[in-house]
Amino acid sequence: MQAFQLDIQTIRQRARQQVAEGARTFTYAGDVQQVIELLNHALATELVCALRYKRHHFTASGLSSEPVALEFQAHANEELAHADRIAERIVQLGGSPDFSPDGLSTRSHADYVAPDSLEAMIRENLVAERIAIDTYRELVRFIGDKDPTTRRMLEDILAVEEEHADELSDWLGRKD
């Protein structure tokens, strides 16, 4: 095994030459424009999911709807927090987060579905969470070691999406 060595003089020189690049340094190995585009699609997904959860929060009805509606509200807030983290990362990478409502649903991986029954709401949210889980897993694989900061952020969001899916599945009375 080779000994670890840093060429601190070169690192210092590059830091000064590329100071306008902010957090993205010479050692960034990802395709920054592609990562920004992928993150903007993830941002759209989180925003669509938050809007769907908000609608379901306000329109859930029936005897057992109150605790589920409150949980829909909590999920909406968590999806908005994910959107904030993604937008912050896009800016760190030198991009612009796309919050434009024009095309939001076409950029989103998940659909905006507005069913009337509580069970259908739970089911549609579970479908969306499962889409998010698979999408984030693929993004994590794609990014790999090229951008560990983005990868860790996506892994954190993925863990919350898995918790949401588990909870929604429990509400439907999953069959293992």
Side-chain angles (χ1 to χ4, degrees), residues 61-132:
S61 62
L63 291 176
S64 59
S65 66
E66 187 176 343
V68 175
L70 290 173
E71 202 57 38
F72 286 162
Q73 176 68 25
H75 286 203
N77 292 338
E78 289 171 332
E79 303 298 348
L80 287 173
H82 296 166
D84 287 350
R85 288 186 69 191
I86 292 167
E88 287 172 1
R89 184 61 182 154
I90 290 168
V91 171
Q92 284 178 342
L93 292 172
S96 295
D98 188 351
F99 283 94
S100 172
D102 295 336
L104 188 63
S105 63
T106 58
R107 291 189 313 271
S108 173
H109 301 134
D111 296 320
Y112 181 90
V113 181
D116 292 327
S117 78
L118 189 59
E119 182 177 340
M121 289 176 190
I122 294 168
R123 186 173 305 283
E124 286 302 325
N125 286 316
L126 178 55
V127 167
E129 294 294 355
R130 291 174 54 81
I131 290 167

Side-chain angles (χ1 to χ4, degrees), residues 12 22-23 31 53 69 80 83 90-91 113 120 125 141 158 166 173:
R12 288 176 180 163
D31 177 338
Y53 273 124
L80 287 173
I90 290 168
V91 171
V113 181
N125 286 316
R141 274 194 271 283
L158 171 61
D166 188 52

Side-chain angles (χ1 to χ4, degrees), residues 1-11 14 27:
M1 178 183 255
Q2 189 175 12
F4 179 75
Q5 293 181 344
L6 281 176
D7 182 353
I8 197 67
Q9 290 303 97
T10 300
I11 292 171
R14 285 183 188 141
T27 58

